[in-house]
Amino acid sequence: KFEKIWLILGTVTLVAFLSTIGIQAFTSPDHAPPSDLTTIEPEEVETTAPFDEPGLKKVGENEYELVMILQSFGFTPGEVEIPQGAKVKFIVTSIDVVHGFEVAGTNINMMVTPGHINSMTYTFDEKGSFLILCNEYCGIGHHYMSAELEVK
Ligand code: CUA
């Protein structure tokens, strides 16, 4: 008889516990609408906005979003040109392993884990050529993993 009570109590507790998790899942930021997307399944990155169209997008007066995909051992796109004074929001993710995203000579430095969306903003006041490199060891081609950003 007691066993039955414990079983019912256990079940009730479990159900209560699971529904709490369920409620949290719906209210937590991880499950916010796609516009606030922070993670994507790595295999779905290339078909999910904004990563379905990587590259530079003008969003305001000399303000840009630069969407980049990192993959062993390169960046997509590999070359980018922006006008002097441009404020650029880098939006990056990886589709395979952990990479690093560093724009040499700036404070842009991010660890890029698969499917996790990372972003940082920087204003390029000076003309010149900036090297974008991977600063996280990601395999045999790590040292060749780079891209170029030209400020004109
Ligand atoms: Cu990618 Cu090192």
Side-chain angles (χ1 to χ4, degrees):
K1 184 111 203 257
F2 268 121
E3 278 167 28
K4 208 169 182 182
I5 291 170
W6 282 120
L7 191 69
I8 290 165
L9 259 179
T11 310
V12 168
T13 313
L14 188 69
V15 168
F17 179 69
L18 286 177
S19 29
T20 310
I21 290 179
I23 289 161
Q24 275 174 356
F26 274 105
T27 53
S28 80
D30 282 352
H31 293 260
S35 56
D36 299 321
L37 209 60
T38 55
T39 50
I40 308 172
E41 289 300 317
E43 59 269 21
E44 284 169 14
V45 165
E46 286 167 299
T47 54
T48 306
F51 297 100
D52 54 344
E53 282 176 38
L56 198 66
K57 200 173 87 189
K58 190 166 185 174
V59 293
E61 188 60 45
N62 217 4
E63 248 185 82
Y64 296 85
E65 279 181 2
L66 177 53
V67 175
M68 282 183 121
I69 297 175
L70 284 72
Q71 183 181 16
S72 305
F73 298 99
F75 296 81
T76 307
E79 278 176 39
V80 186
E81 251 183 43
I82 58 165
Q84 186 179 12
K87 184 179 176 186
V88 181
K89 183 181 183 186
F90 295 88
I91 303 170
V92 301
T93 195
S94 161
I95 59 175
D96 48 23
V97 298
V98 176
H99 296 283
F101 187 96
E102 180 182 348
V103 183
T106 74
N107 64 344
I108 301 283
N109 191 346
M110 302 181 266
M111 189 189 245
V112 186
T113 51
H116 185 87
I117 302 167
N118 230 331
S119 72
M120 271 186 92
T121 303
Y122 188 84
T123 303
F124 291 87
D125 293 320
E126 308 283 322
K127 284 185 186 180
S129 191
F130 291 81
L131 192 63
I132 298 174
L133 30 92
C134 177
N135 59 7
E136 195 72 43
Y137 184 75
C138 53
I140 199 122
H142 163 71
H143 298 285
Y144 305 103
M145 188 164 165
S146 69
E148 208 170 295
L149 181 80
E150 195 80 42
V151 184
K152 291 201 157 180

mmCIF file of all heavy atoms in Angstrom, residues 72-92:
data_model
loop_
_atom_site.group_PDB
_atom_site.id
_atom_site.type_symbol
_atom_site.label_atom_id
_atom_site.label_comp_id
_atom_site.label_asym_id
_atom_site.label_seq_id
_atom_site.Cartn_x
_atom_site.Cartn_y
_atom_site.Cartn_z
ATOM 1 N N SER A 72 36.862 25.258 -41.122
ATOM 2 C CA SER A 72 38.243 24.834 -41.361
ATOM 3 C C SER A 72 38.510 24.831 -42.871
ATOM 4 O O SER A 72 37.853 24.109 -43.586
ATOM 5 C CB SER A 72 38.477 23.437 -40.817
ATOM 6 O OG SER A 72 38.129 23.403 -39.445
ATOM 7 N N PHE A 73 39.393 25.610 -43.417
ATOM 8 C CA PHE A 73 40.216 26.578 -42.710
ATOM 9 C C PHE A 73 40.079 27.921 -43.405
ATOM 10 O O PHE A 73 41.003 28.388 -44.049
ATOM 11 C CB PHE A 73 41.689 26.119 -42.704
ATOM 12 C CG PHE A 73 41.856 24.804 -41.993
ATOM 13 C CD1 PHE A 73 41.951 23.612 -42.710
ATOM 14 C CD2 PHE A 73 41.876 24.763 -40.598
ATOM 15 C CE1 PHE A 73 42.085 22.402 -42.037
ATOM 16 C CE2 PHE A 73 42.013 23.551 -39.941
ATOM 17 C CZ PHE A 73 42.112 22.364 -40.657
ATOM 18 N N GLY A 74 38.926 28.507 -43.301
ATOM 19 C CA GLY A 74 38.741 29.781 -43.963
ATOM 20 C C GLY A 74 37.556 30.563 -43.435
ATOM 21 O O GLY A 74 36.788 30.093 -42.597
ATOM 22 N N PHE A 75 37.428 31.777 -43.970
ATOM 23 C CA PHE A 75 36.326 32.660 -43.624
ATOM 24 C C PHE A 75 35.484 32.879 -44.878
ATOM 25 O O PHE A 75 36.022 33.004 -45.970
ATOM 26 C CB PHE A 75 36.844 34.031 -43.168
ATOM 27 C CG PHE A 75 37.650 34.002 -41.904
ATOM 28 C CD1 PHE A 75 38.994 33.630 -41.917
ATOM 29 C CD2 PHE A 75 37.070 34.358 -40.698
ATOM 30 C CE1 PHE A 75 39.741 33.613 -40.739
ATOM 31 C CE2 PHE A 75 37.816 34.347 -39.527
ATOM 32 C CZ PHE A 75 39.157 33.973 -39.541
ATOM 33 N N THR A 76 34.181 32.944 -44.728
ATOM 34 C CA THR A 76 33.301 33.294 -45.831
ATOM 35 C C THR A 76 32.532 34.554 -45.451
ATOM 36 O O THR A 76 31.807 34.519 -44.450
ATOM 37 C CB THR A 76 32.293 32.160 -46.123
ATOM 38 O OG1 THR A 76 33.038 30.949 -46.300
ATOM 39 C CG2 THR A 76 31.493 32.455 -47.364
ATOM 40 N N PRO A 77 32.702 35.657 -46.182
ATOM 41 C CA PRO A 77 33.596 35.848 -47.329
ATOM 42 C C PRO A 77 35.057 36.013 -46.884
ATOM 43 O O PRO A 77 35.327 36.333 -45.734
ATOM 44 C CB PRO A 77 33.080 37.156 -47.946
ATOM 45 C CG PRO A 77 32.495 37.904 -46.787
ATOM 46 C CD PRO A 77 31.930 36.873 -45.855
ATOM 47 N N GLY A 78 35.972 35.819 -47.834
ATOM 48 C CA GLY A 78 37.399 35.884 -47.532
ATOM 49 C C GLY A 78 37.994 37.262 -47.721
ATOM 50 O O GLY A 78 39.101 37.530 -47.253
ATOM 51 N N GLU A 79 37.264 38.109 -48.445
ATOM 52 C CA GLU A 79 37.729 39.481 -48.673
ATOM 53 C C GLU A 79 36.552 40.431 -48.538
ATOM 54 O O GLU A 79 35.487 40.180 -49.090
ATOM 55 C CB GLU A 79 38.288 39.628 -50.098
ATOM 56 C CG GLU A 79 39.717 39.163 -50.246
ATOM 57 C CD GLU A 79 40.178 39.242 -51.685
ATOM 58 O OE1 GLU A 79 39.803 40.221 -52.370
ATOM 59 O OE2 GLU A 79 40.877 38.312 -52.116
ATOM 60 N N VAL A 80 36.775 41.516 -47.808
ATOM 61 C CA VAL A 80 35.694 42.488 -47.610
ATOM 62 C C VAL A 80 36.245 43.896 -47.759
ATOM 63 O O VAL A 80 37.349 44.184 -47.309
ATOM 64 C CB VAL A 80 35.073 42.348 -46.200
ATOM 65 C CG1 VAL A 80 33.866 43.252 -46.061
ATOM 66 C CG2 VAL A 80 34.685 40.915 -45.906
ATOM 67 N N GLU A 81 35.469 44.740 -48.401
ATOM 68 C CA GLU A 81 35.847 46.144 -48.552
ATOM 69 C C GLU A 81 34.821 47.020 -47.865
ATOM 70 O O GLU A 81 33.612 46.855 -48.078
ATOM 71 C CB GLU A 81 35.859 46.513 -50.044
ATOM 72 C CG GLU A 81 37.242 46.733 -50.591
ATOM 73 C CD GLU A 81 37.209 47.163 -52.042
ATOM 74 O OE1 GLU A 81 36.363 48.006 -52.384
ATOM 75 O OE2 GLU A 81 38.022 46.633 -52.811
ATOM 76 N N ILE A 82 35.299 47.947 -47.033
ATOM 77 C CA ILE A 82 34.369 48.866 -46.377
ATOM 78 C C ILE A 82 34.896 50.290 -46.502
ATOM 79 O O ILE A 82 36.100 50.502 -46.610
ATOM 80 C CB ILE A 82 34.155 48.509 -44.885
ATOM 81 C CG1 ILE A 82 35.494 48.527 -44.129
ATOM 82 C CG2 ILE A 82 33.467 47.184 -44.724
ATOM 83 C CD1 ILE A 82 35.331 48.548 -42.634
ATOM 84 N N PRO A 83 33.998 51.265 -46.494
ATOM 85 C CA PRO A 83 34.456 52.654 -46.581
ATOM 86 C C PRO A 83 35.036 53.137 -45.250
ATOM 87 O O PRO A 83 34.650 52.639 -44.184
ATOM 88 C CB PRO A 83 33.191 53.429 -46.944
ATOM 89 C CG PRO A 83 32.050 52.544 -46.636
ATOM 90 C CD PRO A 83 32.533 51.146 -46.513
ATOM 91 N N GLN A 84 35.913 54.117 -45.342
ATOM 92 C CA GLN A 84 36.515 54.700 -44.147
ATOM 93 C C GLN A 84 35.437 55.260 -43.224
ATOM 94 O O GLN A 84 34.464 55.854 -43.690
ATOM 95 C CB GLN A 84 37.487 55.810 -44.553
ATOM 96 C CG GLN A 84 38.266 56.378 -43.384
ATOM 97 C CD GLN A 84 39.236 57.457 -43.826
ATOM 98 O OE1 GLN A 84 39.175 57.935 -44.950
ATOM 99 N NE2 GLN A 84 40.133 57.838 -42.940
ATOM 100 N N GLY A 85 35.622 55.055 -41.941
ATOM 101 C CA GLY A 85 34.673 55.562 -40.953
ATOM 102 C C GLY A 85 33.496 54.637 -40.707
ATOM 103 O O GLY A 85 32.629 54.938 -39.888
ATOM 104 N N ALA A 86 33.464 53.519 -41.405
ATOM 105 C CA ALA A 86 32.328 52.608 -41.272
ATOM 106 C C ALA A 86 32.287 51.967 -39.888
ATOM 107 O O ALA A 86 33.308 51.565 -39.330
ATOM 108 C CB ALA A 86 32.399 51.519 -42.338
ATOM 109 N N LYS A 87 31.073 51.907 -39.374
ATOM 110 C CA LYS A 87 30.846 51.191 -38.119
ATOM 111 C C LYS A 87 30.355 49.811 -38.514
ATOM 112 O O LYS A 87 29.323 49.670 -39.175
ATOM 113 C CB LYS A 87 29.791 51.932 -37.302
ATOM 114 C CG LYS A 87 29.529 51.350 -35.940
ATOM 115 C CD LYS A 87 28.488 52.200 -35.226
ATOM 116 C CE LYS A 87 28.110 51.599 -33.890
ATOM 117 N NZ LYS A 87 26.993 52.351 -33.288
ATOM 118 N N VAL A 88 31.113 48.796 -38.133
ATOM 119 C CA VAL A 88 30.806 47.444 -38.592
ATOM 120 C C VAL A 88 30.474 46.526 -37.427
ATOM 121 O O VAL A 88 31.239 46.415 -36.465
ATOM 122 C CB VAL A 88 32.002 46.840 -39.365
ATOM 123 C CG1 VAL A 88 31.674 45.435 -39.853
ATOM 124 C CG2 VAL A 88 32.388 47.726 -40.542
ATOM 125 N N LYS A 89 29.318 45.898 -37.526
ATOM 126 C CA LYS A 89 28.960 44.878 -36.546
ATOM 127 C C LYS A 89 29.295 43.523 -37.159
ATOM 128 O O LYS A 89 28.686 43.113 -38.147
ATOM 129 C CB LYS A 89 27.472 44.954 -36.205
ATOM 130 C CG LYS A 89 27.052 43.964 -35.130
ATOM 131 C CD LYS A 89 25.563 44.068 -34.838
ATOM 132 C CE LYS A 89 25.181 43.117 -33.699
ATOM 133 N NZ LYS A 89 23.721 43.099 -33.496
ATOM 134 N N PHE A 90 30.282 42.871 -36.603
ATOM 135 C CA PHE A 90 30.667 41.539 -37.077
ATOM 136 C C PHE A 90 29.731 40.523 -36.441
ATOM 137 O O PHE A 90 29.581 40.495 -35.226
ATOM 138 C CB PHE A 90 32.099 41.216 -36.650
ATOM 139 C CG PHE A 90 33.132 42.108 -37.279
ATOM 140 C CD1 PHE A 90 33.491 43.304 -36.684
ATOM 141 C CD2 PHE A 90 33.745 41.750 -38.471
ATOM 142 C CE1 PHE A 90 34.446 44.134 -37.265
ATOM 143 C CE2 PHE A 90 34.693 42.570 -39.054
ATOM 144 C CZ PHE A 90 35.044 43.769 -38.452
ATOM 145 N N ILE A 91 29.098 39.713 -37.292
ATOM 146 C CA ILE A 91 28.215 38.663 -36.799
ATOM 147 C C ILE A 91 28.771 37.343 -37.312
ATOM 148 O O ILE A 91 28.790 37.107 -38.523
ATOM 149 C CB ILE A 91 26.768 38.882 -37.288
ATOM 150 C CG1 ILE A 91 26.280 40.271 -36.853
ATOM 151 C CG2 ILE A 91 25.842 37.795 -36.766
ATOM 152 C CD1 ILE A 91 24.958 40.688 -37.478
ATOM 153 N N VAL A 92 29.261 36.518 -36.412
ATOM 154 C CA VAL A 92 29.998 35.337 -36.855
ATOM 155 C C VAL A 92 29.533 34.061 -36.174
ATOM 156 O O VAL A 92 29.010 34.082 -35.062
ATOM 157 C CB VAL A 92 31.518 35.520 -36.598
ATOM 158 C CG1 VAL A 92 32.047 36.736 -37.335
ATOM 159 C CG2 VAL A 92 31.816 35.663 -35.107
#
